[in-house]
Amino acid sequence: MDLKSLIQRIPKAELHLHIEGTLEPEMMMALAHRNRIKLRYASVDEIRDAYDFSDLQTFLDIYYAGAQVLREKQDFYDLTSAYLKRAAEDNVRHVEIFFDPQTHTERDVDFATVIDGIHRALQDGQSQLGITFRLIMCFLRHLSASDALATLEEALPFKDKIHAVGLDSSEVGHPPSRFVHVFDRARKEGFLTVAHAGEEGPPSYIWEALDLLKVERVDHGVRCLEDLLLVARLADEQIPLTVCPLSNVKLRVFDTLEQHNLKLLLQHGLCATINSDDPAYFGGYIGENYLRAQRALNLSEADIHTLTRNAFNASFLSDADKQRHIVDLDRAMISF
Ligand code: ADE
Ligand code: ZN
């Protein structure tokens, strides 16, 4: 059964989205021009042609190079606004957005420039599009724990704008255990925690994220199925996994979407959600991730309902707001 119109119309929450990963080639060229930055590409087509990745690292190299065009508050504002407009077309009602301050501060862009631009766009998106939001500050795990700690200190004056901290970038060789002290400190300051784990890294990284970083959610987490004790823990505690189907195929975590384990995660009773990760690089925003996963894995109407409900439940919204969204979702499902 084709569920395209259902997928289009149901309210959604997106919980795994790197704002730097929404930089479309057209905007990359425009910002390079505006900021007089020389790109290694001569055209939008050349940029798109470069998006052929063999793993996470080959993607990250291109992604960090692209982010260099972001310099001014207006750039971060424009980037975030464009994402929100696109998300609204997919009927996204709530977003929890990652940003990577170190990618910018190490180029001498001020922390305030980054967060003020993103946050202003999120506020305008909430008033103009009705999309609610939370901001999550990620530490780059290929850099040191002391760099992460310094970034946390830098973020403290902006605490009212940041809800949680996360961990991203090159996974293998950079286990969560390296960042225990940073996450301890972040929790003491009142931040919730999440971490990328089990994307390319082994199940032990997911255990560490849970036991050492005390995460509320695991970003990706798809390698959990290699450890049945871990699966039992994730199921018992209903720890959400923010799964990103198109990303996983683009970065060759799975060879094809048909081989993705999303349906198995649901069958194990895990709280899986669908997200787009870095949609400008991976060939689709959240609606496309739902649709392509539904078709490739023959997800049922009930599966789609579970995945969207999981996302609202796994969000950092209040219980009352979660319920409000879930009532809307249930209504949209019934009237299908
Ligand atoms: N940064 C942006 N996208 C990422 C991903 N999929 N994994 C780790 N770090 C990232
Ligand atoms: Zn990610």
Side-chain angles (χ1 to χ4, degrees), residues 19-20 31 34 67 70-81 104 107 109-110 113-118 121:
I19 198 62
E20 295 89 349
L31 292 181
R34 189 155 98 185
L70 298 162
R71 290 218 67 92
E72 309 294 335
K73 198 183 289 187
Q74 187 69 42
D75 305 337
F76 291 94
Y77 182 93
D78 291 348
L79 178 72
T80 308
S81 293
H104 313 298
R107 299 180 288 117
V109 175
D110 287 346
T113 301
V114 179
I115 195 156
D116 289 348
I118 296 171

Side-chain angles (χ1 to χ4, degrees), residues 49 62 156-157 159 173 176 202 221-222 253 257 272 281 289 303 306 308:
D49 287 347
I62 286 182
L156 293 181
K159 218 168 151 177
V222 292
V253 173
L257 207 47
Y281 292 88
N289 271 270
D303 292 331
T306 301
T308 34

Side-chain angles (χ1 to χ4, degrees), residues 1 17 26 39 58 67 95 132 153-154 185 190-191 196 203 218 248 261 268 282 289 307 316:
M1 180 172 172
L17 182 283
E26 289 78 6
L39 281 179
T58 53
V95 295
T132 53
E153 298 285 351
E154 217 178 338
R185 175 80 204 285
F191 296 107
H196 283 54
V218 175
N248 291 155
N261 67 9
H268 279 88
F282 299 151
N289 271 270
L307 287 159
F316 295 144

